Amino acid sequence: MRETNKDVVDTSCSAVLHRDLKLAPSRVVSSSGLYIQFDNGRRILDATGGAAVSCIGHGDERVIEAITRQAKELDYCHTMFYSCPSAEDLCQQLISSTGGQMARAFIVCSGSEAMEAAMKLSRQYFLELPTPEPSRTHFIARRESYHGTTLGALSVGGHVGRRKGYEPILMQNVSHVSPCNAYRYKLDDESIAEYVERLAKELDAEFQRVGAHNVCAFIAETVVGAALGCVPAVEGYFKAMKAVCDKYGALFVLDEVMCGMGRTGTMHAWEQEGVVPDIQTLGKGLGGGYAPIAGVLVGYRVIRALEEGSGRFSHGQTYQAHPISCAAAAAVHRIIREEGLVDNVLHMGRYLESLLKQKLGHHRYVGDIRGRGLFWGIEFVKDKASKAPFDRELDIGMLVHQKGLSLTEDGGIMLYPGAGSVDGILGDHILIAPPYTVTTSQIDLIVDLTVMAIEAAFGELAGRLPNNS
Protein backbone atom coordinates (compact mmCIF):
# COMPACT_ATOMS: atom_id res chain seq x y z
CA MET A 1 0.00 0.00 0.00
CA ARG A 2 1.31 3.46 -0.92
CA GLU A 3 2.48 5.66 1.96
CA THR A 4 0.41 8.74 2.74
CA ASN A 5 1.86 12.12 3.65
CA LYS A 6 0.80 11.52 7.24
CA ASP A 7 3.11 8.50 7.33
CA VAL A 8 6.20 10.31 6.05
CA VAL A 9 5.80 13.88 7.36
CA ASP A 10 6.41 14.94 10.95
CA THR A 11 3.09 16.65 11.63
CA SER A 12 4.42 18.19 14.84
CA CYS A 13 6.62 20.43 12.72
CA SER A 14 4.98 23.42 11.03
CA ALA A 15 4.83 23.40 7.24
CA VAL A 16 4.83 27.22 7.25
CA LEU A 17 8.02 29.02 6.25
CA HIS A 18 8.00 31.29 9.28
CA ARG A 19 10.14 34.44 9.48
CA ASP A 20 12.33 32.71 12.08
CA LEU A 21 13.02 29.06 11.36
CA LYS A 22 14.64 28.56 14.77
CA LEU A 23 11.73 29.88 16.81
CA ALA A 24 8.18 28.56 16.64
CA PRO A 25 5.80 31.53 16.87
CA SER A 26 2.89 31.51 19.30
CA ARG A 27 -0.33 30.50 17.59
CA VAL A 28 -3.21 32.97 17.72
CA VAL A 29 -6.60 31.25 17.61
CA SER A 30 -9.03 34.14 18.16
CA SER A 31 -9.31 37.88 18.63
CA SER A 32 -11.86 40.37 19.89
CA GLY A 33 -11.68 44.11 20.45
CA LEU A 34 -8.22 44.93 21.78
CA TYR A 35 -7.34 41.33 22.65
CA ILE A 36 -5.84 38.31 20.92
CA GLN A 37 -5.87 34.79 22.34
CA PHE A 38 -3.29 32.04 21.90
CA ASP A 39 -3.88 28.30 21.64
CA ASN A 40 -2.50 27.85 25.17
CA GLY A 41 -5.30 30.01 26.59
CA ARG A 42 -3.21 33.12 27.25
CA ARG A 43 -4.85 36.44 26.35
CA ILE A 44 -2.81 39.49 25.27
CA LEU A 45 -3.75 43.16 25.08
CA ASP A 46 -2.84 44.16 21.52
CA ALA A 47 -1.62 47.74 22.06
CA THR A 48 -0.24 48.07 18.53
CA GLY A 49 -2.94 46.55 16.35
CA GLY A 50 -0.29 44.15 15.07
CA ALA A 51 1.77 46.58 12.98
CA ALA A 52 -0.56 49.59 13.42
CA VAL A 53 -3.12 47.68 11.36
CA SER A 54 -6.20 46.91 13.48
CA CYS A 55 -7.53 50.45 13.56
CA ILE A 56 -11.09 49.62 14.70
CA GLY A 57 -10.19 46.60 16.81
CA HIS A 58 -10.63 42.91 16.13
CA GLY A 59 -13.85 41.12 15.27
CA ASP A 60 -16.18 43.94 14.28
CA GLU A 61 -19.35 42.20 13.11
CA ARG A 62 -20.23 44.96 10.63
CA VAL A 63 -17.05 44.37 8.65
CA ILE A 64 -17.45 40.60 8.84
CA GLU A 65 -21.00 40.98 7.50
CA ALA A 66 -19.77 43.17 4.63
CA ILE A 67 -17.15 40.55 3.73
CA THR A 68 -19.70 37.74 3.85
CA ARG A 69 -22.20 39.64 1.73
CA GLN A 70 -19.57 40.50 -0.86
CA ALA A 71 -18.29 36.92 -1.02
CA LYS A 72 -21.82 35.73 -1.79
CA GLU A 73 -22.37 38.37 -4.49
CA LEU A 74 -18.99 38.53 -6.25
CA ASP A 75 -15.82 36.78 -5.15
CA TYR A 76 -13.39 37.90 -7.87
CA CYS A 77 -13.24 40.41 -10.70
CA HIS A 78 -10.39 40.70 -13.24
CA THR A 79 -9.54 44.42 -13.41
CA MET A 80 -8.02 44.22 -16.88
CA PHE A 81 -11.57 43.99 -18.19
CA TYR A 82 -13.99 44.90 -15.39
CA SER A 83 -14.70 46.99 -12.30
CA CYS A 84 -17.07 46.19 -9.44
CA PRO A 85 -19.29 48.16 -7.01
CA SER A 86 -17.14 47.58 -3.91
CA ALA A 87 -14.02 48.95 -5.65
CA GLU A 88 -15.92 51.97 -6.96
CA ASP A 89 -17.40 52.59 -3.49
CA LEU A 90 -14.05 52.37 -1.70
CA CYS A 91 -12.18 54.59 -4.17
CA GLN A 92 -14.91 57.22 -4.06
CA GLN A 93 -14.70 57.26 -0.27
CA LEU A 94 -10.93 57.62 -0.42
CA ILE A 95 -10.97 60.52 -2.87
CA SER A 96 -13.72 62.24 -0.86
CA SER A 97 -11.60 61.84 2.28
CA THR A 98 -8.94 64.09 0.72
CA GLY A 99 -11.44 66.90 0.19
CA GLY A 100 -11.02 66.45 -3.55
CA GLN A 101 -7.28 67.15 -3.36
CA MET A 102 -6.46 63.80 -4.98
CA ALA A 103 -7.95 62.54 -8.26
CA ARG A 104 -7.89 58.74 -8.41
CA ALA A 105 -7.21 55.70 -6.23
CA PHE A 106 -5.41 52.50 -7.25
CA ILE A 107 -5.98 49.46 -5.00
CA VAL A 108 -3.46 46.67 -4.39
CA CYS A 109 -2.81 44.06 -1.68
CA SER A 110 0.14 45.37 0.37
CA GLY A 111 2.14 48.47 1.21
CA SER A 112 5.14 47.16 -0.71
CA GLU A 113 2.99 46.74 -3.81
CA ALA A 114 1.64 50.25 -3.31
CA MET A 115 5.16 51.68 -3.28
CA GLU A 116 6.11 49.70 -6.38
CA ALA A 117 3.04 51.10 -8.15
CA ALA A 118 3.88 54.64 -6.98
CA MET A 119 7.41 54.35 -8.34
CA LYS A 120 6.22 53.06 -11.71
CA LEU A 121 3.57 55.75 -11.89
CA SER A 122 6.20 58.41 -11.13
CA ARG A 123 8.34 57.16 -13.98
CA GLN A 124 5.43 56.91 -16.40
CA TYR A 125 4.35 60.48 -15.58
CA PHE A 126 7.55 61.88 -17.12
CA LEU A 127 7.16 59.69 -20.19
CA GLU A 128 3.59 60.93 -20.72
CA LEU A 129 4.35 64.66 -20.66
CA PRO A 130 3.84 66.61 -23.94
CA THR A 131 7.62 66.89 -23.99
CA PRO A 132 8.73 63.59 -22.41
CA GLU A 133 11.63 63.56 -19.93
CA PRO A 134 13.03 60.02 -20.20
CA SER A 135 16.19 60.92 -18.24
CA ARG A 136 14.20 61.09 -15.01
CA THR A 137 14.98 57.71 -13.48
CA HIS A 138 16.48 58.68 -10.12
CA PHE A 139 14.69 58.57 -6.75
CA ILE A 140 15.75 60.48 -3.65
CA ALA A 141 14.55 59.12 -0.32
CA ARG A 142 15.74 59.32 3.29
CA ARG A 143 18.00 57.33 5.56
CA GLU A 144 16.42 55.37 8.45
CA SER A 145 13.21 54.93 6.47
CA TYR A 146 11.13 51.95 5.44
CA HIS A 147 8.95 51.73 2.34
CA GLY A 148 8.42 48.00 1.88
CA THR A 149 10.20 44.73 1.39
CA THR A 150 10.03 44.10 -2.37
CA LEU A 151 13.21 44.99 -4.24
CA GLY A 152 12.03 48.35 -5.56
CA ALA A 153 10.49 49.43 -2.27
CA LEU A 154 13.51 48.16 -0.37
CA SER A 155 15.77 50.16 -2.69
CA VAL A 156 14.15 53.48 -1.83
CA GLY A 157 13.97 52.55 1.85
CA GLY A 158 16.89 53.27 4.13
CA HIS A 159 16.36 50.45 6.63
CA VAL A 160 19.90 49.10 7.02
CA GLY A 161 18.93 45.79 8.60
CA ARG A 162 16.35 44.88 5.97
CA ARG A 163 18.58 46.01 3.08
CA LYS A 164 21.54 43.98 4.33
CA GLY A 165 22.22 40.98 2.13
CA TYR A 166 20.26 42.40 -0.78
CA GLU A 167 22.40 45.48 -1.50
CA PRO A 168 24.01 43.97 -4.64
CA ILE A 169 20.61 43.44 -6.30
CA LEU A 170 18.90 46.67 -5.20
CA MET A 171 18.31 49.55 -7.62
CA GLN A 172 21.33 51.80 -8.11
CA ASN A 173 19.29 54.84 -9.22
CA VAL A 174 18.42 55.77 -5.62
CA SER A 175 20.15 58.04 -3.12
CA HIS A 176 19.29 59.02 0.44
CA VAL A 177 19.37 62.24 2.43
CA SER A 178 18.99 62.86 6.17
CA PRO A 179 15.72 62.11 7.93
CA CYS A 180 13.92 64.87 9.82
CA ASN A 181 14.64 63.62 13.34
CA ALA A 182 14.95 66.63 15.61
CA TYR A 183 15.69 64.58 18.73
CA ARG A 184 18.77 63.12 17.11
CA TYR A 185 19.96 65.64 14.56
CA LYS A 186 18.78 69.17 15.30
CA LEU A 187 21.71 71.10 16.76
CA ASP A 188 21.29 72.59 20.24
CA ASP A 189 21.92 76.13 19.01
CA GLU A 190 19.74 75.65 15.91
CA SER A 191 16.17 76.92 15.65
CA ILE A 192 13.45 74.82 13.99
CA ALA A 193 13.53 77.17 10.99
CA GLU A 194 17.31 76.85 10.70
CA TYR A 195 17.08 73.06 10.96
CA VAL A 196 14.49 72.96 8.17
CA GLU A 197 16.62 75.26 6.03
CA ARG A 198 19.63 72.98 6.50
CA LEU A 199 17.66 69.90 5.45
CA ALA A 200 16.22 71.75 2.44
CA LYS A 201 19.70 72.76 1.36
CA GLU A 202 20.84 69.14 1.69
CA LEU A 203 17.99 67.96 -0.55
CA ASP A 204 18.67 70.74 -3.05
CA ALA A 205 22.35 69.78 -3.13
CA GLU A 206 21.42 66.16 -3.78
CA PHE A 207 19.25 67.20 -6.73
CA GLN A 208 22.20 69.09 -8.14
CA ARG A 209 24.67 66.27 -7.43
CA VAL A 210 22.70 63.65 -9.38
CA GLY A 211 21.44 66.16 -11.94
CA ALA A 212 18.04 67.73 -11.35
CA HIS A 213 16.87 66.62 -14.81
CA ASN A 214 17.46 63.01 -13.72
CA VAL A 215 15.31 63.06 -10.55
CA CYS A 216 11.93 61.38 -10.80
CA ALA A 217 10.64 61.85 -7.23
CA PHE A 218 11.43 62.52 -3.60
CA ILE A 219 9.88 59.87 -1.31
CA ALA A 220 9.28 60.20 2.43
CA GLU A 221 7.09 58.86 5.23
CA THR A 222 4.94 61.68 6.60
CA VAL A 223 5.47 60.26 10.09
CA VAL A 224 8.23 57.65 10.17
CA GLY A 225 6.94 54.40 11.64
CA ALA A 226 8.92 51.27 12.44
CA ALA A 227 12.31 52.48 11.21
CA LEU A 228 12.55 55.43 13.63
CA GLY A 229 9.73 54.85 16.07
CA CYS A 230 6.92 57.32 15.27
CA VAL A 231 9.01 60.37 14.40
CA PRO A 232 6.98 63.31 13.04
CA ALA A 233 8.65 66.06 11.05
CA VAL A 234 9.19 69.49 12.57
CA GLU A 235 6.95 72.36 11.49
CA GLY A 236 7.63 73.57 7.97
CA TYR A 237 9.77 70.60 6.93
CA PHE A 238 7.48 69.11 4.30
CA LYS A 239 6.61 72.50 2.83
CA ALA A 240 10.33 73.09 2.36
CA MET A 241 10.90 69.64 0.82
CA LYS A 242 8.00 70.10 -1.60
CA ALA A 243 9.36 73.51 -2.58
CA VAL A 244 12.64 71.87 -3.61
CA CYS A 245 10.75 69.25 -5.64
CA ASP A 246 8.67 71.95 -7.34
CA LYS A 247 11.79 73.96 -8.09
CA TYR A 248 13.21 71.10 -10.12
CA GLY A 249 9.95 69.64 -11.46
CA ALA A 250 10.20 66.35 -9.55
CA LEU A 251 7.25 64.55 -7.99
CA PHE A 252 6.55 64.68 -4.26
CA VAL A 253 5.59 61.23 -2.93
CA LEU A 254 4.42 60.59 0.64
CA ASP A 255 4.31 57.12 2.18
CA GLU A 256 1.42 56.86 4.65
CA VAL A 257 1.13 53.08 4.70
CA MET A 258 1.64 53.03 8.47
CA CYS A 259 0.77 56.57 9.58
CA GLY A 260 -2.24 57.27 7.36
CA MET A 261 -5.98 56.64 7.35
CA GLY A 262 -6.64 58.50 10.60
CA ARG A 263 -3.76 57.12 12.67
CA THR A 264 -2.20 60.52 13.44
CA GLY A 265 -5.39 62.49 14.12
CA THR A 266 -6.38 63.52 10.59
CA MET A 267 -7.51 61.12 7.89
CA HIS A 268 -4.28 61.78 6.01
CA ALA A 269 -1.15 62.76 7.92
CA TRP A 270 -0.19 65.31 5.24
CA GLU A 271 -3.23 67.42 6.19
CA GLN A 272 -1.26 68.54 9.26
CA GLU A 273 1.72 69.57 7.13
CA GLY A 274 0.07 72.06 4.81
CA VAL A 275 1.08 70.13 1.71
CA VAL A 276 -0.62 67.86 -0.82
CA PRO A 277 1.47 65.06 -2.34
CA ASP A 278 1.52 64.24 -6.03
CA ILE A 279 1.27 60.56 -5.09
CA GLN A 280 0.46 58.96 -1.74
CA THR A 281 0.67 55.34 -0.61
CA LEU A 282 -1.61 53.95 2.10
CA GLY A 283 -2.12 50.55 3.63
CA LYS A 284 -2.37 49.03 7.08
CA GLY A 285 -5.27 51.05 8.49
CA LEU A 286 -7.04 50.99 5.13
CA GLY A 287 -8.50 47.53 5.71
CA GLY A 288 -7.99 47.41 9.47
CA GLY A 289 -6.60 43.88 9.18
CA TYR A 290 -9.86 42.39 7.89
CA ALA A 291 -8.44 41.83 4.40
CA PRO A 292 -5.08 42.28 2.62
CA ILE A 293 -5.34 45.69 0.97
CA ALA A 294 -3.33 48.84 0.29
CA GLY A 295 -3.53 51.64 -2.20
CA VAL A 296 -2.13 54.62 -4.06
CA LEU A 297 -3.83 58.02 -4.20
CA VAL A 298 -2.90 60.00 -7.29
CA GLY A 299 -2.98 63.77 -7.70
CA TYR A 300 -4.48 65.72 -10.61
CA ARG A 301 -1.09 66.66 -12.05
CA VAL A 302 -0.21 63.01 -12.64
CA ILE A 303 -3.67 61.95 -13.79
CA ARG A 304 -3.85 64.78 -16.33
CA ALA A 305 -0.55 63.68 -17.86
CA LEU A 306 -1.85 60.13 -18.31
CA GLU A 307 -5.23 61.26 -19.63
CA GLU A 308 -3.62 63.56 -22.19
CA GLY A 309 -0.99 60.98 -23.04
CA SER A 310 -1.50 57.24 -23.48
CA GLY A 311 -4.68 57.20 -21.46
CA ARG A 312 -3.62 54.22 -19.35
CA PHE A 313 -1.47 53.19 -16.39
CA SER A 314 0.98 50.52 -17.55
CA HIS A 315 0.74 48.40 -14.44
CA GLY A 316 -1.63 45.81 -13.00
CA GLN A 317 -1.86 42.79 -10.72
CA THR A 318 -4.09 39.73 -10.48
CA TYR A 319 -5.66 40.61 -7.14
CA GLN A 320 -5.76 44.36 -7.74
CA ALA A 321 -8.98 45.92 -6.34
CA HIS A 322 -10.19 42.54 -5.10
CA PRO A 323 -13.97 42.79 -4.47
CA ILE A 324 -13.90 41.25 -0.98
CA SER A 325 -10.92 43.30 0.19
CA CYS A 326 -12.53 46.47 -1.16
CA ALA A 327 -15.80 45.67 0.59
CA ALA A 328 -13.95 45.14 3.87
CA ALA A 329 -11.98 48.38 3.56
CA ALA A 330 -15.07 50.34 2.54
CA ALA A 331 -16.86 49.07 5.66
CA VAL A 332 -13.88 49.97 7.88
CA HIS A 333 -13.66 53.44 6.37
CA ARG A 334 -17.41 54.00 6.72
CA ILE A 335 -17.25 53.05 10.42
CA ILE A 336 -14.33 55.44 11.00
CA ARG A 337 -16.19 58.28 9.32
CA GLU A 338 -19.69 57.72 10.70
CA GLU A 339 -18.52 57.20 14.29
CA GLY A 340 -16.15 60.17 14.25
CA LEU A 341 -13.21 57.95 15.17
CA VAL A 342 -10.57 60.31 13.80
CA ASP A 343 -11.72 62.87 16.39
CA ASN A 344 -11.37 60.16 19.02
CA VAL A 345 -7.83 59.49 17.77
CA LEU A 346 -7.00 63.16 18.33
CA HIS A 347 -8.59 63.30 21.78
CA MET A 348 -7.31 59.94 23.03
CA GLY A 349 -3.91 60.64 21.48
CA ARG A 350 -3.47 63.71 23.64
CA TYR A 351 -4.38 61.69 26.70
CA LEU A 352 -1.96 58.90 25.73
CA GLU A 353 0.82 61.44 25.20
CA SER A 354 0.27 63.10 28.57
CA LEU A 355 0.18 59.78 30.42
CA LEU A 356 3.29 58.40 28.72
CA LYS A 357 5.25 61.55 29.49
CA GLN A 358 3.95 61.67 33.05
CA LYS A 359 4.88 58.07 33.85
CA LEU A 360 7.96 57.58 31.66
CA GLY A 361 9.31 61.04 30.89
CA HIS A 362 11.74 60.94 33.81
CA HIS A 363 12.72 57.28 33.43
CA ARG A 364 16.49 57.12 33.39
CA TYR A 365 16.58 55.00 30.23
CA VAL A 366 13.82 56.74 28.25
CA GLY A 367 15.34 59.32 25.93
CA ASP A 368 12.38 60.49 23.88
CA ILE A 369 8.60 60.05 23.70
CA ARG A 370 7.22 61.23 20.37
CA GLY A 371 4.35 60.76 17.97
CA ARG A 372 0.95 62.03 16.90
CA GLY A 373 -2.61 60.86 17.42
CA LEU A 374 -2.56 57.18 18.39
CA PHE A 375 0.91 56.60 16.95
CA TRP A 376 3.60 56.87 19.65
CA GLY A 377 7.19 55.79 20.01
CA ILE A 378 9.48 55.49 23.02
CA GLU A 379 13.23 55.60 22.37
CA PHE A 380 15.58 54.08 24.93
CA VAL A 381 19.06 55.43 25.71
CA LYS A 382 21.74 54.43 28.19
CA ASP A 383 22.52 58.08 28.93
CA LYS A 384 19.88 60.81 28.72
CA ALA A 385 22.36 63.69 28.54
CA SER A 386 24.45 62.34 25.65
CA LYS A 387 21.56 60.35 24.07
CA ALA A 388 24.00 57.44 23.74
CA PRO A 389 22.25 54.28 22.50
CA PHE A 390 22.54 50.86 24.06
CA ASP A 391 24.83 48.18 22.65
CA ARG A 392 23.10 46.42 19.77
CA GLU A 393 23.39 42.95 21.31
CA LEU A 394 21.16 43.95 24.24
CA ASP A 395 18.22 44.41 21.80
CA ILE A 396 16.31 46.53 24.31
CA GLY A 397 13.20 47.04 22.19
CA MET A 398 12.73 43.30 21.66
CA LEU A 399 13.38 42.60 25.35
CA VAL A 400 10.67 45.09 26.37
CA HIS A 401 8.30 43.45 23.87
CA GLN A 402 9.05 39.97 25.23
CA LYS A 403 8.59 41.07 28.84
CA GLY A 404 5.29 42.65 27.88
CA LEU A 405 3.98 39.36 26.51
CA SER A 406 4.66 37.53 29.78
CA LEU A 407 3.76 40.08 32.46
CA THR A 408 1.27 37.77 34.14
CA GLU A 409 0.54 34.07 34.14
CA ASP A 410 -2.56 34.59 32.03
CA GLY A 411 -1.42 37.34 29.65
CA GLY A 412 0.26 40.66 29.06
CA ILE A 413 0.62 43.34 26.41
CA MET A 414 1.85 43.35 22.83
CA LEU A 415 4.21 46.22 21.99
CA TYR A 416 6.00 46.77 18.66
CA PRO A 417 9.82 46.67 18.96
CA GLY A 418 12.24 48.40 16.63
CA ALA A 419 15.93 49.15 16.24
CA GLY A 420 18.23 51.42 14.27
CA SER A 421 16.75 54.77 15.26
CA VAL A 422 20.22 56.34 15.55
CA ASP A 423 22.00 55.19 12.41
CA GLY A 424 20.06 52.24 11.06
CA ILE A 425 21.84 49.83 13.40
CA LEU A 426 22.06 51.37 16.88
CA GLY A 427 19.06 52.76 18.71
CA ASP A 428 16.14 50.96 20.36
CA HIS A 429 12.47 51.88 20.47
CA ILE A 430 8.95 50.51 20.85
CA LEU A 431 5.72 51.62 19.19
CA ILE A 432 2.25 51.96 20.68
CA ALA A 433 -0.66 52.17 18.23
CA PRO A 434 -4.02 51.18 19.76
CA PRO A 435 -7.27 51.14 17.75
CA TYR A 436 -9.17 54.35 17.09
CA THR A 437 -11.97 53.08 19.36
CA VAL A 438 -9.75 53.08 22.46
CA THR A 439 -11.11 54.58 25.70
CA THR A 440 -9.40 56.42 28.57
CA SER A 441 -9.61 53.38 30.84
CA GLN A 442 -8.00 51.23 28.14
CA ILE A 443 -5.23 53.79 27.68
CA ASP A 444 -4.68 53.76 31.46
CA LEU A 445 -4.20 49.99 31.26
CA ILE A 446 -1.95 50.19 28.17
CA VAL A 447 0.36 52.72 29.81
CA ASP A 448 0.47 50.82 33.12
CA LEU A 449 1.37 47.57 31.34
CA THR A 450 3.93 49.36 29.17
CA VAL A 451 5.61 50.76 32.26
CA MET A 452 5.63 47.28 33.82
CA ALA A 453 7.19 45.79 30.68
CA ILE A 454 9.92 48.45 30.61
CA GLU A 455 10.69 47.99 34.31
CA ALA A 456 10.80 44.21 33.88
CA ALA A 457 13.22 44.50 30.95
CA PHE A 458 15.63 46.85 32.70
CA GLY A 459 15.23 44.89 35.91
CA GLU A 460 16.56 41.82 34.14
CA LEU A 461 19.54 43.85 32.94
CA ALA A 462 20.28 45.32 36.37
CA GLY A 463 24.00 45.35 37.08
CA ARG A 464 24.89 45.49 33.38
CA LEU A 465 23.70 49.05 32.81
CA PRO A 466 24.81 52.48 34.03
CA ASN A 467 22.63 54.21 36.64
CA ASN A 468 21.76 57.70 35.39
CA SER A 469 19.36 58.64 38.14
Side-chain angles (χ1 to χ4, degrees):
M1 188 173 72
R2 190 170 64 88
E3 289 184 314
T4 66
N5 283 343
K6 187 175 180 181
D7 296 321
V8 299
V9 175
D10 180 5
T11 56
S12 66
C13 179
S14 174
V16 177
L17 176 56
H18 293 295
R19 297 193 188 201
D20 189 337
L21 295 179
K22 298 180 180 179
L23 179 67
S26 300
R27 298 190 183 187
V28 177
V29 294
S30 65
S31 60
S32 178
L34 272 72
Y35 288 86
I36 57 177
Q37 187 159 336
F38 300 116
D39 58 358
N40 61 7
R42 298 187 73 247
R43 192 165 172 258
I44 296 293
L45 173 59
D46 183 4
T48 65
V53 172
S54 299
C55 57
I56 62 169
H58 301 284
D60 192 298
E61 290 294 338
R62 294 166 293 182
V63 184
I64 295 169
E65 182 183 343
I67 291 171
T68 303
R69 184 169 58 250
Q70 181 62 54
K72 290 178 179 179
E73 293 174 355
L74 176 66
D75 57 350
Y76 174 70
C77 176
H78 189 6
T79 57
M80 179 179 288
F81 308 109
Y82 314 111
S83 183
C84 68
S86 61
E88 297 292 340
D89 177 27
L90 173 61
C91 291
Q92 186 58 60
Q93 287 191 59
L94 291 174
I95 294 305
S96 296
S97 75
T98 71
Q101 299 274 25
M102 305 298 274
R104 301 287 179 91
F106 182 83
I107 305 301
V108 291
C109 298
S110 72
S112 296
E113 291 174 15
M115 181 51 64
E116 296 284 341
M119 293 170 68
K120 290 179 75 173
L121 188 56
S122 298
R123 167 62 176 168
Q124 187 177 340
Y125 165 77
F126 287 103
L127 298 179
E128 298 278 1
L129 293 174
T131 302
E133 301 180 40
S135 67
R136 290 191 184 263
T137 60
H138 192 90
F139 293 91
I140 301 176
R142 303 187 300 180
R143 294 189 296 275
E144 290 83 68
S145 62
Y146 181 63
H147 297 293
T149 195
T150 50
L151 289 177
L154 196 61
S155 297
V156 294
H159 194 295
V160 173
R162 293 181 182 180
R163 288 173 60 98
K164 187 179 180 181
Y166 302 104
E167 292 281 357
I169 60 173
L170 295 183
M171 294 165 52
Q172 299 303 303
N173 56 318
V174 179
S175 56
H176 297 85
V177 293
S178 299
C180 183
N181 184 353
Y183 173 69
R184 282 287 168 190
Y185 301 122
K186 188 179 83 65
L187 305 177
D188 291 338
D189 61 351
E190 194 174 36
S191 68
I192 293 295
E194 289 169 337
Y195 180 46
V196 168
E197 183 181 7
R198 176 160 62 87
L199 291 176
K201 286 181 177 178
E202 180 186 354
L203 180 60
D204 193 292
E206 185 62 15
F207 267 86
Q208 295 183 50
R209 186 188 72 81
V210 301
H213 62 286
N214 295 321
V215 179
C216 193
F218 169 67
I219 299 174
E221 295 159 277
T222 318
V223 178
V224 185
L228 282 181
C230 301
V231 173
V234 298
E235 184 178 358
Y237 169 78
F238 279 112
K239 283 185 176 180
M241 299 302 106
K242 189 174 188 304
V244 175
C245 292
D246 291 344
K247 175 181 176 181
Y248 294 112
L251 294 179
F252 181 64
V253 179
L254 290 180
D255 180 345
E256 297 201 358
V257 167
M258 200 172 203
C259 67
M261 298 308 297
R263 174 58 63 187
T264 64
T266 50
M267 184 56 72
H268 305 285
W270 51 259
E271 294 178 79
Q272 300 171 55
E273 306 296 342
V275 297
V276 179
D278 293 304
I279 299 173
Q280 171 193 354
T281 60
L282 42 87
K284 304 180 186 299
L286 176 59
Y290 289 89
I293 190 167
V296 181
L297 299 185
V298 190
Y300 287 93
R301 170 187 178 185
V302 176
I303 290 299
R304 275 196 301 268
L306 268 62
E307 287 178 338
E308 296 169 4
S310 67
R312 62 191 302 269
F313 177 27
S314 300
H315 180 63
Q317 294 172 266
T318 301
Y319 289 105
Q320 172 187 330
H322 191 278
I324 296 174
S325 293
C326 288
V332 169
H333 189 79
R334 193 169 286 110
I335 290 167
I336 292 172
R337 188 179 70 251
E338 292 178 354
E339 296 192 356
L341 293 184
V342 176
D343 288 337
N344 194 58
V345 170
L346 202 58
H347 180 63
M348 290 295 103
R350 289 171 182 152
Y351 182 62
L352 176 59
E353 175 186 10
S354 66
L355 213 55
L356 286 172
K357 290 181 176 178
Q358 174 192 328
K359 298 200 172 186
L360 288 168
H362 299 291
H363 192 286
R364 63 184 180 272
Y365 297 127
V366 171
D368 193 31
I369 299 171
R370 68 289 185 112
R372 282 183 188 166
L374 290 175
F375 198 46
W376 286 86
I378 301 170
E379 182 170 343
F380 303 105
V381 293
K382 67 180 179 182
D383 181 77
K384 289 174 79 83
S386 67
K387 304 178 184 177
F390 287 100
D391 295 339
R392 178 69 262 149
E393 58 267 22
L394 293 177
D395 207 359
I396 300 294
M398 182 59 72
L399 181 60
V400 171
H401 163 71
Q402 291 170 342
K403 291 299 180 183
L405 293 176
S406 56
L407 284 176
T408 68
E409 200 170 300
D410 298 325
I413 186 171
M414 178 177 168
L415 301 166
Y416 193 104
S421 46
V422 176
D423 58 6
I425 300 173
L426 296 175
D428 299 276
H429 57 266
I430 58 169
L431 274 63
I432 298 174
Y436 306 170
T437 54
V438 73
T439 63
T440 53
S441 60
Q442 290 169 335
I443 286 178
D444 289 338
L445 179 58
I446 287 170
V447 174
D448 285 345
L449 292 175
T450 299
V451 172
M452 290 172 61
I454 292 171
E455 293 294 356
F458 287 109
E460 180 175 302
L461 295 173
R464 299 175 61 187
L465 302 175
N467 188 332
N468 300 317
S469 58

